């Protein structure tokens, strides 16, 4: 089954404790992206990747890192999480661009 | 990326046809119009995409007038399960960035 998977689905952590949210897709898609969704603010793009070893900032990249060492994986790294990074995070992928993306199930993060 | 304007929320009843309009006055020549649907606690799901006139698939229809400054997503005979947030996006195909906006919260009543 074609899908985008994210892990963990739920995470509670404390300020400053490094964490990684994994994202994997099995559709051989070149394009992958991370979003965060907050009430009243909609979906905002954090980082995206056009292909392996090619990443770029979205609209809200501060406090996040990404890497794209393999085509199927695009982990989101929070080196020193802060409470304002409490949010619902979505990973997405598509064949070449963001117009027709497949989204993962989401990761709900709470930073205390 | 063209800015889009959609109603914040809409209510309708089961069995009705629902039309959600999106304004995009500064749409560029190479921009496409794409709609996504998002159910609570799920990621958005691609519904339909078009460039001009009319596009129809098994889920919805998309109407785009000749000037392309607006578009209308049409959902035929909605059911309770169509309650979701609908996002209108405008941008060039294969562009690298995208802006979702706040979407339209559609609430279907029994």
């Amino acid at each position: 089954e074609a899908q985008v998977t994210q892990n963990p689905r739920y995470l509670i952590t404390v300020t400053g404790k490094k964490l990684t949210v994994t994202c994997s897709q099995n559709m051989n898609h070149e394009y992958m992206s991370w979003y965060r969704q907050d009430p009243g603010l909609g979906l905002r793009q954090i980082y995206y990747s056009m292909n392996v070893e090619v990443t770029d900032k979205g609209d809200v990249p501060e406090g996040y890192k990404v890497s794209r060492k393999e085509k199927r994986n695009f982990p989101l790294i929070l080196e020193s999480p802060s409470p304002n990074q409490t949010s619902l995070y979505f990973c997405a992928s598509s064949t070449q661009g963001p117009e027709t993306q497949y989204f993962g199930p989401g990761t709900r993060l709470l930073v205390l | 990326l063209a800015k889009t304007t959609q109603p914040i929320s809409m209510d309708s009843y089961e069995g009705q046809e629902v039309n959600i309009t999106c304004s995009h006055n500064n749409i560029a020549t190479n921009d496409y119009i794409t709609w996504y649907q998002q159910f609570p606690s799920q990621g958005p799901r691609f519904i339909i995409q078009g460039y001009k006139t009319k596009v129809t698939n098994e889920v919805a229809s998309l109407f785009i007038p000749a000037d392309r400054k607006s578009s209308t997503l049409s959902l035929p005979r909605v059911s309770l399960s169509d309650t979701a947030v609908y996002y209108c996006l405008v941008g060039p195909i294969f562009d690298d960035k995208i802006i979702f906006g706040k979407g339209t919260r559609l609430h279907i009543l029994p």
Side-chain angles (χ1 to χ4, degrees), chain B residues 50-84:
Chain B
Y51 183 80
K52 62 180 179 180
T53 63
K54 177 184 174 183
V55 180
T56 297
N57 62 21
E58 64 278 4
V59 176
S61 294
L62 178 59
F63 298 93
I64 306 167
D67 66 5
R68 303 202 325 123
K69 293 184 184 299
S70 66
S71 58
T72 299
L73 175 72
S74 181
L75 304 171
R77 300 167 65 84
V78 293
S79 64
L80 295 176
S81 62
D82 291 314
T83 292

Side-chain angles (χ1 to χ4, degrees), chain A residues 31 35 37 40 98-99 101, chain B residues 34 36 38 87 95-96 98 102:
Chain A
Y31 184 94
Y35 298 85
Q37 186 168 37
E99 292 300 317
Q101 296 178 87
Chain B
T34 310
Y36 279 83
Q38 185 179 22
Y87 296 94
D95 198 8
D96 50 7
I98 197 166
K102 299 180 183 179

